[in-house]
Each structure stands twice: as structure tokens, then as C-alpha cells.
Amino acid sequence: QVALIESGGGVAQAGGSLRLSCADSGQFFTGKAVAWFRQAPGRGRDFVAAIRWDGSPHYVDSLRGRFTVSRNSAKNTVYLQIDNLKTEDTAVYYCAAGRYSDHPSTYDYWGQGTQVTVSS
């Protein structure tokens, strides 16, 4: 069973925008932080952003300003808006639910990942 379901990835041009979605398939979000990580070829999973259960957002400093994390509680969905896309944003993006941190090991539930490819 896949706990979290990501969507919204695809191919986009540099300078454009994408909005990724992470849907909760069954109360996996309850009481937890939801984070976004990304994994580029040859790299580990890098923290991008997270939204805590109280709604407070957190971002890796290098991406602050272009990435926005938000939640629609009525739809049990967390979003990651990416603006001013850059080719270095190309990666598989994963959402995860668990205890807030910037490390993957504290997150118990994961999605299958969605590919984002940015062309120049």
C-alpha cells in the first residue's frame, strides 16, 4: 500500500512553474509534519521543505523564495509550488510524513516519487 500519492511532475522549461501535490491515502498526515525531498541522479534524498502539523512551513535556505509548501486540510493534500524553475531542480520529488526534521530517517510514510525535468 502506498501511503502518500504524489502528482504534478513533468517536463517544464526553465523560468516556468510547477505545482506538486501529495495526497494522503488514509490519515497518514494526522499529527505529523509533511516534507518534500528530492533526489537527483547520483545523489541522496535532499530536504526541500516541510509543513508542520501546526501549519508552519520550513525551507532549506538555498531554495527559500522559489519554493512554497502549503496544505489543504479539507482535501488531505500538501502542495509544493516551484517557481522560476532551474535546470538544477531536475530530480525525483518525494513527499513524506513523520516527525519534523530535514533528514529522511525521521519520516515513516513515503510516496512513490514524481519526476520533475527542467529544460533550458
Side-chain angles (χ1 to χ4, degrees):
Q1 177 187 7
V2 177
L4 309 180
I5 303 168
E6 296 117 338
S7 61
V11 180
Q13 287 202 324
S17 298
L18 281 175
R19 188 177 77 160
L20 308 183
S21 299
C22 175
D24 181 359
S25 69
Q27 296 190 340
F28 296 99
F29 285 176
T30 303
K32 294 180 174 61
V34 178
W36 288 92
F37 292 82
R38 67 184 184 182
Q39 187 166 17
R43 293 182 59 89
R45 290 189 184 185
D46 295 324
F47 176 77
V48 173
I51 186 164
R52 289 188 167 187
W53 183 245
D54 66 2
S56 59
H58 300 269
Y59 302 94
V60 65
D61 287 343
S62 60
L63 301 178
R64 189 184 303 272
R66 293 196 301 117
F67 287 64
T68 305
V69 62
S70 62
R71 182 173 64 209
N72 184 326
S73 297
K75 294 185 177 181
N76 291 325
T77 302
V78 169
Y79 303 98
L80 183 70
Q81 175 76 28
I82 312 173
D83 296 317
N84 189 20
L85 283 160
K86 301 181 179 182
T87 54
E88 53 263 42
D89 294 326
T90 296
V92 178
Y93 285 72
Y94 297 90
C95 66
R99 179 174 62 84
Y100 170 71
S101 80
D102 62 2
H103 197 278
S105 64
T106 68
Y107 294 87
D108 304 308
Y109 304 103
W110 289 82
Q112 78 285 1
T114 186
Q115 176 71 47
V116 171
T117 302
V118 183
S119 61
S120 59

